[in-house]
């Protein structure tokens, strides 16, 4: 009798993913959304991808044209750039309210993430998450 090796799916043979959440902040202890608040975009990237990034502050970039369905988190020296929160196994980027997304909320969306360089991370997401993304060149 012969044996055949079969494919298995484990954490180690899957590409790393980032978690994207665009929800209203919750009131501590109740789990209810804070009244009158706008949704906040949180992007969580595992430290296996981020490692020790060189930039201290980051901005969010949205792909257009051929890059539609991709977002980038890029190092910046801008005052509008945010500092990520470093946890034991992930970096959490809290970008706050994103006017382009409006009030259309989503929770626990996943996208394959890769490191472009020491201060740039690219996440492939469903193009439907950013429905208002322009397809032409920006001026």
């Amino acid at each position: 009798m012969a044996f055949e090796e079969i494919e298995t799916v484990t954490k180690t043979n899957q590409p790393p993913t980032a978690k994207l959440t665009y929800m209203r902040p919750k009131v501590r202890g109740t789990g209810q959304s804070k009244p009158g608040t706008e949704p906040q975009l949180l992007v969580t990237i595992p430290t296996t991808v981020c490692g020790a990034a060189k930039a201290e502050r980051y901005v969010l970039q949205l792909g257009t044209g051929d890059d539609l369905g991709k977002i980038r988190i890029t190092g910046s020296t801008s005052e509008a750039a945010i500092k990520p929160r470093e946890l034991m196994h992930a970096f959490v980027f809290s970008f706050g309210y994103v006017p382009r997304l409006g009030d259309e909320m989503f929770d626990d969306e996943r996208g394959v993430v890769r490191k472009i360089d020491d201060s740039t991370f690219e996440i492939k997401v469903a193009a439907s998450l950013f429905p208002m993304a322009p397809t032409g060149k920006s001026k």
Side-chain angles (χ1 to χ4, degrees), residues 43-48 50-51 84-93:
V43 179
T44 305
I45 300 177
T47 54
T48 55
C50 287
R85 192 172 31 152
E86 187 176 351
L87 304 176
M88 186 178 294
H89 298 289
F91 281 83
V92 179
F93 298 84

Side-chain angles (χ1 to χ4, degrees), residues 1 9 12 23 36 38 54 74 77 79 90 97 105-106 114 118 130 134:
M1 189 177 264
V9 179
T12 57
M23 300 292 289
E38 297 172 324
K54 298 219 176 186
T74 305
T77 57
E79 289 296 319
Y97 179 67
M105 296 185 287
F106 53 85
R114 69 185 181 108
D118 285 338
F130 299 93

Side-chain angles (χ1 to χ4, degrees), residues 7-19 44-46 48-49 110-115 122-124:
E7 179 183 2
T8 59
V9 179
T10 65
K11 275 185 157 181
T12 57
N13 64 5
Q14 291 295 306
T17 59
K19 177 183 172 185
T44 305
I45 300 177
T48 55
V49 176
R110 300 283 174 158
V112 174
V113 62
R114 69 185 181 108
K115 187 175 189 176
E122 185 176 271
I123 305 166
K124 186 169 173 51

Side-chain angles (χ1 to χ4, degrees), residues 17-40:
T17 59
K19 177 183 172 185
L20 290 91
T21 300
Y22 191 61
M23 300 292 289
R24 288 186 173 82
K26 306 266 187 223
V27 176
R28 287 186 189 210
T30 67
Q32 300 293 323
S33 295
K34 288 184 183 179
T37 59
E38 297 172 324
Q40 309 289 307

Side-chain angles (χ1 to χ4, degrees), residues 53-114:
K54 298 219 176 186
E56 287 187 24
R57 296 181 159 278
Y58 293 85
V59 293
L60 182 68
Q61 297 177 335
L62 183 60
T64 60
D66 291 341
D67 290 323
L68 192 63
K70 295 179 184 175
I71 60 172
R72 280 195 177 171
I73 297 174
T74 305
S76 175
T77 57
S78 166
E79 289 296 319
I82 58 104
K83 283 186 166 183
R85 192 172 31 152
E86 187 176 351
L87 304 176
M88 186 178 294
H89 298 289
F91 281 83
V92 179
F93 298 84
S94 180
F95 289 104
Y97 179 67
V98 181
R100 174 153 296 158
L101 293 175
D103 288 336
E104 189 71 28
M105 296 185 287
F106 53 85
D107 188 22
D108 199 18
E109 292 290 332
R110 300 283 174 158
V112 174
V113 62
R114 69 185 181 108

